[in-house]
Amino acid sequence: SVLNSQIRVYKNPGNSNLTYNVGLSFFGRVEPKNDFPNGVVGLTGSYDPKAMYDPISDRFIVIWLDGRVSFDTRIVVAVSQTNDAAGAYSIYHLEGNPLDDKSWTDYPILSQSEDDIFITVNLLRDSASWQTAFKQSIIWQMDKKSFYEEKKMETTLWYDIKHNNQSIWSICPVDQYYKSPSTDMYFLSVRPSDLRNDSIFFHKISGTQASGNAQYS
């Protein structure tokens, strides 16, 4: 389980047998496996963790955000090296300002398909509230195998996702059947803060990141 600043591992689900308890800042105090674009390695303020189990590879995945301004923002991705949730993890960093447009990453949601990891986030402008700072929602698609084998991190970034030339807010992955996730990935969105909200947006990404032929619709 994850809290806003901690990760906890229990021996059995639903009981109080706590075997591992650590803060995010300590948990992520490992040099990332990949070269971070702006050279920042040290974490400056970690929050919003999400955790997920991969039943296909028998691994655990934890992500969280670090930094709240465009020149200091990243997504930290931690992948367990074995099926021991309290064991060693490989750490990677994703750029929180991937479009280099003075925005920072907020509101992460984690999900998976058979072959890929997906992270959806909102990009916000500097120096404004989250209600007024919204620029766009983006989707990171990442090849699981490159993480598990500690190879170069392979990613695809889906952005400029719009309807009637307006960016769609908060793209939320649809959880798949956890024992048998499919290759395709689905997402949902609604219009935010709209008193006459009559629209549900249905997104689909078909094809794997590694294939080079993934498509958004």
Side-chain angles (χ1 to χ4, degrees):
S1 68
V2 290
L3 302 172
N4 202 35
S5 61
Q6 285 185 307
I7 296 172
R8 293 175 177 173
V9 178
Y10 297 86
K11 185 175 181 180
N12 295 303
N15 74 13
S16 58
N17 194 347
L18 180 65
T19 63
Y20 184 70
N21 183 18
V22 65
L24 284 179
S25 58
F26 181 83
F27 181 76
R29 197 178 297 169
V30 178
E31 186 169 346
K33 297 290 184 180
N34 61 310
D35 294 326
F36 192 59
N38 63 12
V40 175
V41 173
L43 304 182
T44 59
S46 297
Y47 60 99
D48 274 3
K50 302 291 186 294
M52 181 175 67
Y53 173 68
D54 179 1
I56 297 174
S57 300
D58 195 21
R59 303 284 191 99
F60 291 90
I61 304 160
V62 182
I63 69 163
W64 67 92
L65 303 182
D66 189 82
R68 299 173 185 266
V69 67
S70 61
F71 57 83
D72 182 19
T73 173
R74 65 198 58 81
I75 305 170
V76 184
V77 182
V79 180
S80 69
Q81 296 178 3
T82 69
N83 63 359
D84 181 6
Y89 281 74
S90 299
I91 304 292
Y92 300 83
H93 288 182
L94 286 172
E95 174 60 68
N97 181 16
L99 305 178
D100 195 22
D101 61 353
K102 295 185 178 181
S103 62
W104 59 280
T105 283
D106 192 32
Y107 194 55
I109 307 177
L110 174 66
S111 195
Q112 65 178 309
S113 64
E114 181 178 3
D115 300 285
D116 294 327
I117 298 167
F118 292 86
I119 301 174
T120 66
V121 299
N122 292 336
L123 296 183
L124 306 182
R125 290 188 296 272
D126 285 330
S127 304
S129 68
W130 65 266
Q131 293 96 334
T132 60
F134 174 75
K135 298 189 76 171
Q136 63 174 297
S137 295
I138 62 174
I139 304 171
W140 287 97
Q141 181 179 7
M142 299 168 288
D143 176 51
K144 285 181 180 179
K145 190 175 181 180
S146 66
F147 284 106
Y148 297 152
E149 296 182 359
E150 295 189 339
K151 296 180 179 179
K152 178 184 176 182
M153 182 173 59
E154 300 293 344
T155 68
T156 298
L157 180 64
W158 302 96
Y159 61 98
D160 281 343
I161 300 171
K162 296 181 178 181
H163 175 69
N164 290 340
N165 205 34
Q166 290 188 334
S167 295
I168 298 176
W169 181 299
S170 296
I171 299 172
C172 301
V174 178
D175 285 338
Q176 301 193 30
Y177 178 52
Y178 77 95
K179 289 184 178 179
S180 182
S182 69
T183 299
D184 295 338
M185 192 69 205
Y186 300 88
F187 309 82
L188 289 173
S189 302
V190 298
R191 296 182 194 271
S193 305
D194 190 336
L195 295 178
R196 293 183 292 179
N197 187 348
D198 61 354
S199 301
I200 295 177
F201 301 100
F202 186 58
H203 317 256
K204 177 182 178 181
I205 293 178
S206 57
T208 66
Q209 195 284 332
S211 72
N213 296 316
Q215 294 184 339
Y216 168 88
S217 59

